[in-house]
Amino acid sequence: RFALLEELQNPPMGFVENWLQSAGWDKLKEVPSLVPRNAVLGINDGIHMKAMLFNDEIFAGYDRLVYIDSDAWVRSSKIADLLDPSILSSMPIAMTYDWNDPKMFNTGVMVYRPNRAMFHEVFGMVMAGWDHDQPSINAAFEGQIATLDPVFNVHGPAVSSGNATAEDAVIVHFTGQVPSKGMFADADHLRSMRFGGGADASYGLVGAGCLYAEYFRWMASA
């Protein structure tokens, strides 16, 4: 398991590295903090680093990678299906649709090949803009994206819209504002999650409260 860490002041890098190593992450790579010239400081800190995922120098020796956002929960061993080479048989990257904005693909879970040319393209777009990584990755790979089954990135209204079921979810992605994420360490939020609450009503995993409750039980038993 490989963790790419952006060098932010809070929390301290040493704390993050020790925490990840104790959780079994054996490959850690620090990259400098990325701050696009037009980005709003503070609220956007730490959301631009994903451009570095395509840098083949960082991932030398890896032909294919499976990337998962840190606000996602691997719920099923079926995640191993993402290692199937046929997923990238005709395209360099695979993602699910973004159910909060179905015109785009969601970058919370990606199967892809590191590529120097695409890294420079994505990096250039991200650093010239102000938004997070997703619009830039979608633009750089337009027409070259294979579609993953929605069960590999159950987020937003995926369940409430009928595009996925909670029962079949392989990777649960807690999209939305930070205080609504499944791993947000707040007592009131955790109490709400225990009974299936806590989702961000605008961008979060709505209509799937059973997954919040299941994640709470999983954390409590860990």
Tab-separated table of all heavy atoms in Angstrom, residues 5 23 104 115 127 140 145 172:
chain	number	residue	atom	x	y	z
A	5	LEU	N	1.835	11.734	0.409
A	5	LEU	CA	1.559	12.715	1.457
A	5	LEU	C	1.989	14.107	1.024
A	5	LEU	O	3.159	14.342	0.720
A	5	LEU	CB	2.306	12.341	2.742
A	5	LEU	CG	2.110	10.912	3.262
A	5	LEU	CD1	2.977	10.682	4.482
A	5	LEU	CD2	0.648	10.659	3.582
A	23	ALA	N	-0.763	1.695	10.929
A	23	ALA	CA	-1.950	1.107	10.314
A	23	ALA	C	-1.602	0.158	9.173
A	23	ALA	O	-2.485	-0.396	8.524
A	23	ALA	CB	-2.876	2.213	9.796
A	104	MET	N	-19.295	14.614	-15.356
A	104	MET	CA	-17.898	14.338	-15.060
A	104	MET	C	-17.747	12.967	-14.423
A	104	MET	O	-18.704	12.380	-13.938
A	104	MET	CB	-17.325	15.401	-14.113
A	104	MET	CG	-16.921	16.687	-14.770
A	104	MET	SD	-15.713	17.605	-13.767
A	104	MET	CE	-16.796	18.311	-12.559
A	115	ASN	N	1.862	8.292	-16.317
A	115	ASN	CA	2.297	8.693	-17.653
A	115	ASN	C	2.866	10.103	-17.570
A	115	ASN	O	2.194	11.022	-17.095
A	115	ASN	CB	1.117	8.635	-18.623
A	115	ASN	CG	1.477	9.064	-20.022
A	115	ASN	OD1	1.593	10.259	-20.310
A	115	ASN	ND2	1.642	8.100	-20.918
A	127	MET	N	-2.324	23.765	-11.627
A	127	MET	CA	-1.563	24.891	-11.106
A	127	MET	C	-1.958	26.222	-11.757
A	127	MET	O	-1.706	27.289	-11.193
A	127	MET	CB	-0.062	24.637	-11.297
A	127	MET	CG	0.456	23.438	-10.505
A	127	MET	SD	0.071	23.506	-8.730
A	127	MET	CE	1.191	24.810	-8.216
A	140	ALA	N	-8.101	16.563	-19.082
A	140	ALA	CA	-6.889	15.990	-19.664
A	140	ALA	C	-7.161	14.633	-20.318
A	140	ALA	O	-6.571	14.305	-21.351
A	140	ALA	CB	-5.818	15.841	-18.591
A	145	ILE	N	-11.521	7.789	-21.066
A	145	ILE	CA	-11.856	7.298	-19.736
A	145	ILE	C	-12.787	6.090	-19.835
A	145	ILE	O	-13.868	6.175	-20.422
A	145	ILE	CB	-12.531	8.396	-18.894
A	145	ILE	CG1	-11.621	9.635	-18.791
A	145	ILE	CG2	-12.866	7.870	-17.503
A	145	ILE	CD1	-12.284	10.837	-18.140
A	172	VAL	N	-17.027	2.658	-0.348
A	172	VAL	CA	-17.957	3.704	0.083
A	172	VAL	C	-17.170	5.004	0.199
A	172	VAL	O	-16.176	5.065	0.930
A	172	VAL	CB	-18.606	3.347	1.433
A	172	VAL	CG1	-19.552	4.460	1.878
A	172	VAL	CG2	-19.345	2.020	1.333
